[in-house]
Amino acid sequence: MNSDSVVNYFELLMLGTFVGGWMLLEWQGRRLDRKREADKARRDAESSKADRKN
């Protein structure tokens, strides 16, 4: 094992960490977007229900 292979393993590890972090952020963003849309739909349904009562 020479020094070049150690550097290559380190670079692959760093790249994998970056890609994994990016994927995690994308997943969290989609999850929060779905939650925000569900909350908005719930608020819209409640406001339309309140409008029909008046």
Side-chain angles (χ1 to χ4, degrees), residues 1-53:
M1 189 167 171
N2 59 20
S3 64
D4 288 340
S5 63
V6 172
V7 172
N8 288 337
Y9 288 134
F10 180 73
E11 288 175 353
L12 286 175
L13 179 65
M14 292 304 294
L15 181 62
T17 302
F18 178 78
V19 169
W22 190 286
M23 289 172 56
L24 180 68
L25 288 173
E26 287 287 331
W27 173 70
Q28 287 289 330
R30 284 192 205 105
R31 188 178 65 84
L32 291 173
D33 287 345
R34 284 193 302 267
K35 183 179 178 183
R36 189 177 300 124
E37 289 172 2
D39 288 345
K40 184 180 182 299
R42 184 174 40 82
R43 281 194 313 269
D44 290 347
E46 288 174 355
S47 68
S48 67
K49 189 185 296 184
D51 289 343
R52 280 186 262 145
K53 285 184 178 179

